[in-house]
Amino acid sequence: AQTVTQSQPEMSVQEAETVTLSCTYDTSENNYYLFWYKQPPSRQMILVIRQEAYKQQNATENRFSVNFQKAAKSFSLKISDSQLGDTAMYFCAFMSRPGGSQGNLIFGKGTKLSVKP
Amino acid sequence: NAGVTQTPKFRILKIGQSMTLQCAQDMNHNYMYWYRQDPGMGLKLIYYSVGAGITDKGEVPNGYNVSRSTTEYFPLRLELAAPSQTSVYFCASSPSGQETQYFGPGTRLLVL
């Protein structure tokens, strides 16, 4: 069974600085998707970024980028120029991509990020 | 475009009561999901559906039932509520099983 581990329960960063959130996963599959979701105090789950395992290029979305290391099964999220609105819980998630997959997301326990002014 | 909507936002139930959590999406997505999020934890899959009339169990289905009579709606039924079902429930949808899931705002349920 796949598992997702986020080893940093809480992190803090000063506004405008850069922070990296860690995520490791365990799977025997070769094709899959990885996601980072943001959950602000409103509890809404918001997609931050998505990576397809067969793509070697790391995904980027504006100030958010990932460092995807397939061999090491590592998928870290880098937030540049941190803003107060980035304060939230961040969840790393794994999705299998075999034929006929139901698309079940496996979530880590989350990292609580606080951006300080 | 409303996306995924859930009602109610918050509910208190007494032990043994039943209720239905409502979920609707207006994106014509085939796949819909129900997750629960316990305090300090990530989300876990309860049930999912790959289309109208087709549902299947996820990781934590005990104590719940679902139905999917139309593409738009995917209600989650709690029978005989127990304190262990105190959680935040999220509904999500996606066009297929290999694409990004879009989440509703969640329903917070407290069973006392």
Side-chain angles (χ1 to χ4, degrees), chain A residues 3-9 23 35-39 43 45 89-94 104-112, chain B residues 34-46 59-60 64 84 86-90 101 103:
Chain A
T3 58
V4 176
T5 302
Q6 294 178 248
S7 59
Q8 306 151 315
C23 173
F35 302 82
W36 279 98
Y37 277 90
K38 169 184 177 181
Q39 187 178 45
R43 287 202 307 267
M45 293 291 287
M89 283 290 289
Y90 286 82
F91 291 96
C92 179
F94 171 98
N104 179 24
L105 282 169
I106 308 295
F107 285 85
K109 292 184 178 181
T111 295
K112 184 177 181 181
Chain B
W34 275 106
Y35 293 88
R36 61 177 284 173
Q37 183 182 25
D38 297 330
M41 302 292 287
L43 282 66
K44 293 187 177 181
L45 184 68
I46 306 171
E59 182 182 356
V60 289
Y64 307 94
S84 61
T86 291
S87 191
V88 180
Y89 292 84
F90 288 95
Q101 293 180 20
F103 285 81

Side-chain angles (χ1 to χ4, degrees), chain B residues 24-25 27-32 51-52 68-74:
Chain B
Q25 52 95 6
M27 298 174 283
N28 201 33
H29 286 171
N30 288 321
Y31 283 63
M32 295 188 75
R68 182 110 181 263
S69 57
T70 66
T71 299
E72 294 81 9
Y73 300 102
F74 189 41

